[in-house]
Amino acid sequence: LARRLMDLSRQEEHRVAGIYQSEALIGIMNQTDATEERIELGYALLPQYHNRGCGTEALRGAIAYCFGLGFREVVTGAFEENIPSIRVMVKCGMQKTDLREEIAYRGRKHTCVYYSIKKEGLHAV
């Protein structure tokens, strides 16, 4: 995880941040795509930190940070079978979009579903 974070941080065109609990690196959040008004984020936590609220707290903070940078929309995606990650997005006020994408990962095809929150919708969170 630390090596992946270092590799991503060297790419000037992408934003990347570690997710920490106290001083321990427990996950990563990074920009996967962006336009002037929209940013797409990816995130991952070490398995032992799943189901503890860490992902929700990190994503809420990232959404607020991205809106503070001037982005009008934040988008994230997850494989449709990754129910815990989808719950994180919903808890953060994100709504499912119509966008679906087939992605090959570790020798299998997965359907990725996307969720979005727009800056004007933040008050509803």
Side-chain angles (χ1 to χ4, degrees):
L1 181 62
R3 276 192 298 275
R4 177 75 174 138
L5 181 61
M6 288 180 355
D7 289 344
L8 288 168
S9 69
R10 290 185 184 107
Q11 299 175 14
E12 291 183 28
E13 67 278 4
H14 285 90
R15 292 170 178 86
V16 62
I19 300 171
Y20 293 86
Q21 186 175 63
S22 298
E23 293 184 19
L25 177 65
I26 65 166
I28 185 173
M29 186 163 299
N30 69 295
Q31 168 190 330
T32 59
D33 192 24
T35 65
E36 195 170 305
E37 298 216 352
R38 176 186 171 277
I39 187 167
E40 184 178 325
L41 301 175
Y43 57 91
L45 290 173
L46 293 171
Q48 62 266 37
Y49 293 95
H50 291 182
N51 299 310
R52 294 183 173 189
C54 300
T56 302
E57 185 177 343
L59 184 56
R60 278 189 182 138
I63 289 168
Y65 179 76
C66 290
F67 287 158
L69 290 175
F71 290 102
R72 306 291 303 161
E73 181 179 18
V74 177
V75 176
T76 58
F79 296 147
E80 67 183 351
E81 67 270 15
N82 188 346
I83 302 303
S85 190
I86 290 170
R87 272 195 293 253
V88 166
M89 293 182 273
V90 171
K91 284 181 187 177
C92 290
M94 302 183 91
Q95 296 183 351
K96 190 173 184 181
T97 70
D98 292 334
L99 181 60
R100 298 169 65 85
E101 185 176 16
E102 295 297 318
I103 297 175
Y105 179 72
R106 294 187 177 175
R108 285 186 45 216
K109 280 196 174 185
H110 300 268
T111 300
C112 188
V113 293
Y114 291 87
Y115 285 71
S116 167
I117 186 168
K118 295 184 178 177
K119 188 168 185 176
E120 55 273 13
L122 187 61
H123 66 278
V125 174

